[in-house]
């Protein structure tokens, strides 16, 4: 049996190779420090687990959820956006509940694009954006994210042709993989760009909670007119260490939300109600656990920066997310450098070219091990005398 053209055009899972290589090294008994992946290392806070435990023994949660989710979960989402960002959300028309945001980034092109239409994707960017492109049979142009622009796209360099054909664009700040953050004036500029060229916007706010140096990341919806053009995707995976629970949501433009909900009406019957109850506990309880988590990532970031400085590796400290985007030394590509670190230092990092053409020359390091292991990783790398 042959797979459909749609399946055959799915991009190669670049990081599957990394997982295999790390697995093989570990199977040989090597003590690999894995900084290559993006899986939060801390457990879900106890009060959220307790809410789930209480919900799961209630037979009401064993039934189908309403198709578009529990109204009280949507209310908790609206209260969260009002409290955290001062943004008003209509629970009837401006929220779509998602099985994690990975599904949202794949559903959106399916919901509003026709085969052959074109969209704009950041480069480097989260590789799952390409999956949505392939499944919806659409094309894309890239918005290069360059160090000299603080890894923000420069809209003045987008050609007239590209602007004319784009129907949808994706952005993501705090950014995976670069660790860059955006400010409100950039989002204002984005709203203007989107209005001028009739482009819908999806801002992926997966790392929305994780900003350093006392700078709280800005929501796209805080920009005036943002709801006229776009939606924001928010996940509980990173903010509350709930990556395995699969819970997130989209908020913003009512038409885009309706399009997402319509796709979902045909694919799912919303999330397990007990997971939605846990989501309510996460969003509505004290946010001290989030403050502590961000402080932990910031401390790890500082430890990494100090260790890199010590060995003469000139790196820029990320301003948000839990990733650091480190330049590779002269004479190496992203891939040859990542292979060298794994083979000779037992340190796994993600090669930057796996995130797109403009990722070449970098590796991504996850701040997802404790400070001792981060120190140990840099000490091992220092022994290769590369800097
Ligand atoms: C930029 C970005 N967006 C979206 C996601 C998806 O997160 P989830 O599906 O767990 O909500 C991730 C996960 O790593 C991510 O890095």
């Amino acid at each position: 049996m042959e797979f459909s053209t749609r399946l055959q055009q799915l991009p190669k899972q670049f990081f599957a190779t990394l997982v295999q290589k790390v697995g093989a090294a570990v199977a040989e008994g090597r003590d690999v420090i894995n900084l290559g992946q993006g899986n939060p290392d801390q457990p879900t806070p106890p009060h959220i687990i307790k809410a789930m435990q209480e919900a799961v023994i209630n037979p009401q949660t064993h039934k189908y959820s309403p198709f578009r989710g529990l109204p009280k979960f949507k209310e908790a989402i609206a209260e969260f956006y009002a409290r955290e960002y001062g943004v008003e959300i209509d629970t009837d028309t401006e929220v779509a509940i998602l099985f994690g945001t990975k599904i949202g980034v794949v559903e959106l092109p399916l919901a509003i694009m026709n085969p052959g239409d074109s969209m704009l994707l950041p480069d480097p960017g989260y590789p799952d954006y390409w999956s949505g492109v392939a499944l919806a049979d659409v094309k894309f142009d890239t918005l290069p994210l360059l160090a000299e622009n603080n890894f923000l796209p420069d809209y003045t360099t987008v050609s007239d042709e590209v602007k004319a054909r784009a129907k949808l664009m994706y952005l993501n700040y705090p950014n995976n993989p670069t660790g860059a953050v955006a400010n409100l004036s950039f989002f204002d500029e984005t709203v203007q760009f989107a209005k001028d060229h009739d482009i819908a916007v999806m801002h992926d706010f997966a790392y929305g909670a994780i900003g350093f140096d006392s700078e709280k990341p800005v929501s796209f919806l805080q920009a005036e007119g943002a709801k006229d053009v776009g939606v924001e995707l928010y996940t509980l995976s990173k903010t509350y260490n709930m990556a395995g629970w699969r819970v997130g949501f989209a908020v913003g433009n009512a038409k885009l939300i309706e399009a997402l909900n319509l796709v979902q009406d045909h694919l799912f019957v919303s999330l397990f109600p007990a997971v939605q109850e846990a989501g309510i506990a996460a969003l509505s309880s004290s946010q001290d656990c989030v403050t502590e988590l961000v402080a932990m990532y910031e401390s790890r970031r500082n430890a990494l920066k100090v260790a890199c400085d010590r060995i003469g590796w000139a790196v820029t400290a990320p301003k948000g997310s839990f990733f650091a985007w480190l330049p590779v030394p002269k004479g190496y590509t992203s891939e040859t450098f990542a292979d060298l670190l794994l083979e000779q230092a037992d340190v796994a990092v993600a090669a930057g070219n796996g995130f797109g053409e403009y990722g070449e020359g970098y590796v991504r390091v996850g701040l997802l091990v404790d400070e001792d292991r981060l120190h140990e990783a840099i000490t091992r790398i220092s022994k290769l005398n590369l800097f």
Side-chain angles (χ1 to χ4, degrees), residues 31-80:
D31 171 30
V32 176
I33 303 178
N34 190 351
L35 309 177
Q37 285 172 284
N39 212 342
D41 62 313
Q42 297 296 302
T44 305
H47 66 279
I48 301 174
I49 296 175
K50 189 160 172 275
M52 173 74 171
Q53 285 169 330
E54 283 170 11
V56 84
I57 55 172
N58 176 357
Q60 285 305 319
T61 68
H62 305 170
K63 303 179 177 207
Y64 290 121
S65 157
F67 261 66
R68 296 184 175 191
L70 298 178
K72 59 183 171 179
F73 186 30
K74 294 187 190 182
E75 277 155 31
I77 290 166
E79 278 162 24
F80 173 81

Side-chain angles (χ1 to χ4, degrees), residues 38 40 42-45 47-48 80-81 83-85 101 174 205-211 216-217 233-243 247-249 279 282-297 321-322:
Q42 297 296 302
T44 305
H47 66 279
I48 301 174
F80 173 81
Y81 257 73
R83 186 188 73 221
E84 296 292 326
Y85 304 111
T101 48
F205 208 26
Y207 300 91
I210 311 173
K216 185 180 167 84
L233 264 54
Y234 195 98
T235 177
L236 278 63
S237 296
K238 324 284 171 172
T239 310
Y240 306 103
N241 298 319
M242 294 175 75
V247 49
F249 52 88
L283 298 174
S284 310
S285 310
S286 154
Q287 300 295 294
D288 288 354
C289 57
V290 182
T291 311
E292 284 160 23
L293 186 71
V294 175
M296 185 196 75
Y297 287 136
S321 83
F322 47 51

Side-chain angles (χ1 to χ4, degrees), residues 99-129:
F99 281 86
T101 48
K102 179 174 161 60
I103 189 78
V105 306
V106 174
E107 283 169 350
L108 206 48
L110 280 176
I112 66 161
M113 316 264 289
N114 290 315
D117 283 351
S118 197
M119 63 183 294
L120 282 170
L121 293 180
D123 180 352
Y126 178 53
D128 285 18
Y129 299 155

